[in-house]
Amino acid sequence: MLITSIDNEKVKNYIKLKDKKYRDSTGLFLVEGSHLVLEAHKKGLVKELILEVDEVFPIDIANVVYLPMDIINKISSVETPQKVMALCEKPKENNELGNRVLILDDVQDPGNVGTIIRSSCAFNIDTVVFSKNSVDLYNPKTIRATQGMFFHLNCVRRDIIPVIEELKDKGIPIYGTLVGWGSDVKDLTKEEKDKFCLIVGNEGNGVEEKITKMCDKNLYINTNSNVESLNVAIATSILLYELGGKHE
């Protein structure tokens, strides 16, 4: 299908997907670039392939929409748009959280979440739980920052306290994160690393106090005295490496 008008209903709907409310109401989102489109296609999530006029892309899909570059510029969320995009449906959330869970307590920055998602994939996390006030996973900036790794994780948006209570009922230890005191992550036993829920907090405020009080242990990373704290994405990556990295 070739579309040449910015007033076309499909084009208007693509543009609306920049808005979280519209993404939530439709269950749809856009990905941009060959890598992300291929990752989405592998998971069977692509509903429409969107290409610049005369562009060719090697996936077998019935619904292909061709657009001139000036319209792609309106749809895209980046300064230099790609010639390959896709309209995707959100993957279904899995209610079974697994035994290795990461909770994001109001983490706001898309770049931080992207790094955290990639580290979660690398270090064997089953589910990443987004608090209701964390950044939207399907924000275009977040999607780009994940490099498509979120397609390989169960990512859910939930109220945190019921999730913690559910995991406690299953006998899974809850680890919070604090700057400078608590339990050094390196001191955890192998058994304490077999299954766990790790909670990381907001860039400015850390983990909420009432959540901290629900934790079985609060972990910290032992750094030298020159550094007061680490960026949440870096800290999370180090903790996940210590908890789940294959480095025996």
Side-chain angles (χ1 to χ4, degrees):
M1 175 190 296
L2 174 63
I3 298 174
T4 58
S5 172
I6 193 73
D7 294 321
N8 182 277
E9 200 63 32
K10 264 188 190 299
V11 172
K12 289 180 179 179
N13 290 337
Y14 293 154
I15 294 171
K16 287 180 186 177
L17 287 171
K18 293 179 181 181
D19 182 73
K20 181 182 182 297
K21 288 183 179 179
Y22 191 70
R23 294 193 297 270
D24 288 345
S25 67
T26 60
L28 301 173
F29 65 101
L30 289 175
V31 296
E32 303 184 50
S34 301
H35 173 70
L36 286 171
V37 172
L38 284 172
E39 290 293 324
H41 180 63
K42 288 175 188 175
K43 294 296 180 181
L45 300 175
V46 175
K47 291 178 66 69
E48 294 175 358
L49 180 63
I50 304 167
L51 302 174
E52 186 191 16
V53 177
D54 297 328
E55 185 71 16
V56 176
F57 195 69
I59 63 173
D60 183 20
I61 185 167
N63 298 319
V64 182
V65 177
Y66 294 95
L67 301 173
M69 204 64 200
D70 62 324
I71 293 182
I72 289 179
N73 284 332
K74 298 290 186 183
I75 296 168
S76 175
S77 300
V78 297
E79 289 186 9
T80 307
Q82 303 285 320
K83 296 181 179 181
V84 180
M85 305 173 69
L87 176 69
C88 303
E89 58 186 351
K90 293 181 182 180
K92 292 181 180 178
E93 294 185 355
N94 184 353
N95 290 325
E96 181 56 51
L97 299 175
N99 291 325
R100 301 169 67 84
V101 179
L102 175 66
I103 293 179
L104 308 185
D105 180 15
D106 296 359
V107 179
Q108 296 290 309
D109 183 77
N112 284 338
V113 172
T115 299
I116 288 168
I117 291 289
R118 292 163 73 180
S119 295
S120 296
C121 278
F123 302 128
N124 312 309
I125 290 299
D126 296 323
T127 299
V128 177
V129 179
F130 287 65
S131 71
K132 293 296 179 72
N133 292 321
S134 289
V135 68
D136 182 25
L137 174 61
Y138 299 99
N139 176 313
K141 290 181 181 179
T142 313
I143 289 174
R144 290 196 299 275
T146 71
Q147 291 290 303
M149 290 300 98
F150 75 97
F151 289 120
H152 303 280
L153 277 172
N154 183 38
C155 296
V156 301
R157 184 171 293 271
R158 302 271 178 83
D159 287 321
I160 291 179
I161 289 177
V163 170
I164 293 173
E165 291 170 345
E166 176 186 337
L167 294 172
K168 279 179 173 287
D169 287 343
K170 290 173 60 179
I172 293 177
I174 310 298
Y175 302 143
T177 47
L178 292 173
V179 176
W181 67 276
S183 300
D184 187 335
V185 64
K186 285 184 173 294
D187 293 336
L188 293 181
T189 66
K190 184 178 183 300
E191 288 71 25
E192 290 175 309
K193 297 178 182 181
D194 282 343
K195 57 183 182 179
F196 61 84
C197 168
L198 176 67
I199 306 172
V200 298
N202 174 268
E203 288 86 348
N205 301 317
V207 177
E208 192 175 355
E209 185 178 357
K210 66 181 179 181
I211 302 297
T212 296
K213 290 178 178 178
M214 297 181 71
C215 296
D216 300 302
K217 286 188 176 184
N218 285 291
L219 305 181
Y220 77 96
I221 300 164
N222 192 7
T223 64
N224 66 46
S225 59
N226 295 322
V227 178
E228 182 179 342
S229 64
L230 296 172
N231 165 277
V232 64
I234 293 172
T236 303
S237 298
I238 293 170
L239 290 167
L240 292 182
Y241 173 74
E242 292 293 343
L243 287 165
K246 298 178 179 178
H247 55 283
E248 297 177 358

